[in-house]
Amino acid sequence: MGAYEAVIGLEVHVQLRTRTKMFCGCANRYGAPPNTQTCPVCLGLPGALPALNREAVRMALALGLSVDARIQPRSTFYRKQYFYPDLPKGYQITQGPVAVVEEGHLEIPGDAAVRGCEGLVRIRLERAHLEEDAGKSHHDLDDTSSHVDLNRAGVPLLEIVGAPDLRSAQEASDYLKALHRLVVALGICDGNMEEGSFRCDANVSLRPAGGTAFGTRVEVKNLNSFRFIRQALDYELGRQAALLERGEPVAMETRGWDAAAGETRGQRTKEAAMDYRYFPEPDLPTLTVDPAEIEALRATLPERPDRQVRRWQEAYGLGVGETQTLAQSPAFAAYFEALAEASGSGKGAAAWLLGEVSRVLNERGTGIEAFPVAPEALAGLVRLVESRALSFGAAKEQVFPALLAGEGSAKAVVARKGLAQVSDRGAIEALVAQVVAENPGPVAQIRGGKASLKGFLVGQVLKAGRGQLDAKAVNEILAEVLAKD
Ligand code: ADP
Ligand code: ZN
Ligand code: MG
């Protein structure tokens, strides 16, 4: 793919976690028996009038403020007309040329393989507009008929249109993760991708490396997992590159990701695209947002997850990759914050969370929410290791499992099992002297220049100290002894 550059822009549909639907009082809840959460408004019965859900507007504003977007003081709703059985009104209410949220940006880790260097890159958001969801058609419940469930008709959606700033499938997936983290952290979406609360379509094209004009784009629909988006885009980029290499044009079309076959498939060409005959929704007034409302809301917002990650890098000296993993979910991030704070060591906290804690979570197949050791309790262990009162080996092999088993605080476990690390100089010196005396051969070889044997002697001393010696002190004292004579 060296000759081409990928250009990707995502359109993400976020189902908002409001109590009620976008334009009526029906409950916004997933999984109720079919067609039990409907009323004349969301069924599109003649004469029924929509009324805007202000909670949905606040959620859109929260997203906008969190990506430093321009909040539009005035925006309007439009009707987008098309016919489909799950759209009872015959049109979808969406926002017109001006959206309530315009021009924001998010920071994601750039893909070093295509950017040529590591670091955060800024991905622009073109706009985020409010609209209503359609109902759901079921074509596979029986052999002879299709079924329509209108519980979802009228559920509030925020469509977030990203700029074509992404340069690889990896970046697209990282951007989607960053957005997912943000909407979950803001509490405006439950983030459930299997239930369709967070859906994504990807626009993808190639252009000659170093070029500025865009190539013809393909829209890949229905990418409902982070893995699928990476697989689908890698496949699609390969398909387009092969076409271009053969001198064939890329058709402007909509394709679907077939996860079972591992390929994208053509669905419809853009020439066949419908004319939606947009026009202003006459039954809804202009959506106005006043500055006081924006400032009041701003004061309640949590720290932006992408900024939080950057703060961790700067304050704790952590790498981009480490911080991305720590930010994998709001709960994980919160656990890390608490652990770093209580232990006084961001680096130590990160190492334990990404190491032993993640290993246990993977083994058990659970999230951090179900991890039995509170951050304050784990902090006790981190502090003992950081202050060199406990060796890392003993901490990992003995104290950590005891914490997991609920056998008391780290301090109590260390005292009960007699694991306190020996950093006492005299005790270490005695053991070093003993090991040096027992190993005249290796000692002579080291003094003769074979430095690689030092590790062997350190190991012998640690063993003699039954794993309780401060390894750093052992290294220092051994080096002093070997340098003498
Ligand atoms: P449409 O109205 O057909 O949906 P938009 O202009 O709204 O088109 O763009 C939709 C999405 O397509 C945006 O996320 C944008 O970033 C992306 N996009 C636009 N042009 C390209 C391109 N040449 N290659 C890849 N993505 C693109
Ligand atoms: Zn309703
Ligand atoms: Mg669009």
Side-chain angles (χ1 to χ4, degrees), residues 342-422:
S343 68
S345 167
K347 264 216 136 71
W352 279 93
L353 265 186
L354 299 177
E356 286 307 286
V357 174
S358 293
R359 190 183 56 72
V360 168
L361 295 179
N362 282 339
E363 248 171 47
R364 299 184 175 182
T366 59
I368 192 82
E369 298 86 347
F371 189 63
V373 185
E376 294 71 26
L378 186 57
L381 175 64
V382 176
R383 254 183 283 123
L384 289 175
V385 176
E386 291 296 313
S387 67
R388 291 157 69 180
L390 177 66
S391 75
F392 178 72
K396 185 173 143 186
E397 307 295 335
Q398 311 211 44
V399 186
F400 183 70
L403 281 184
L404 268 183
E407 291 169 14
S409 74
K411 243 196 174 130
V413 173
V414 167
R416 195 166 61 242
K417 299 196 175 185
L419 296 172
Q421 173 161 276
V422 178

Side-chain angles (χ1 to χ4, degrees), residues 74-78 94-100 130 280-281 285-287:
R74 297 167 66 79
S75 58
T76 44
F77 288 95
Y78 269 59
T94 180
Q95 290 212 277
V98 177
V100 63
L130 285 163
E281 165 61 68
T286 297
L287 165 54

Side-chain angles (χ1 to χ4, degrees), residues 64 67-70 102-106 123-127:
V67 295
D68 287 340
R70 268 194 306 126
E102 305 228 5
E103 291 175 13
H105 52 84
L106 264 181
I123 307 301
R124 291 168 301 148
L125 272 59
E126 288 174 355
R127 61 187 243 151

Side-chain angles (χ1 to χ4, degrees), residues 6-12 124 126-127 159-167 175 201-206 213-219 252 270 278:
V7 173
I8 302 167
L10 304 191
E11 290 172 280
V12 179
R124 291 168 301 148
E126 288 174 355
R127 61 187 243 151
E159 178 175 344
I160 302 172
V161 182
D165 289 347
L166 302 161
R167 294 292 170 265
Y175 166 80
D201 301 331
N203 291 273
V204 46
S205 64
L206 285 178
F214 288 147
T216 308
R217 75 177 141 120
V218 164
E219 183 169 5
M252 180 135 172
K270 274 275 178 180
Y278 282 94

Side-chain angles (χ1 to χ4, degrees), residues 299-316:
T300 67
L301 295 177
E303 183 182 20
R304 289 174 56 158
D306 59 342
R307 291 288 154 76
Q308 183 181 46
V309 156
R310 202 208 291 162
R311 177 168 57 76
W312 292 342
Q313 287 174 33
E314 286 162 4
Y316 303 136

Side-chain angles (χ1 to χ4, degrees), residues 242-256:
L243 284 173
L244 296 176
E245 226 118 71
R246 289 200 300 270
E248 290 172 32
V250 172
M252 180 135 172
E253 61 178 348
T254 300
R255 298 177 74 86

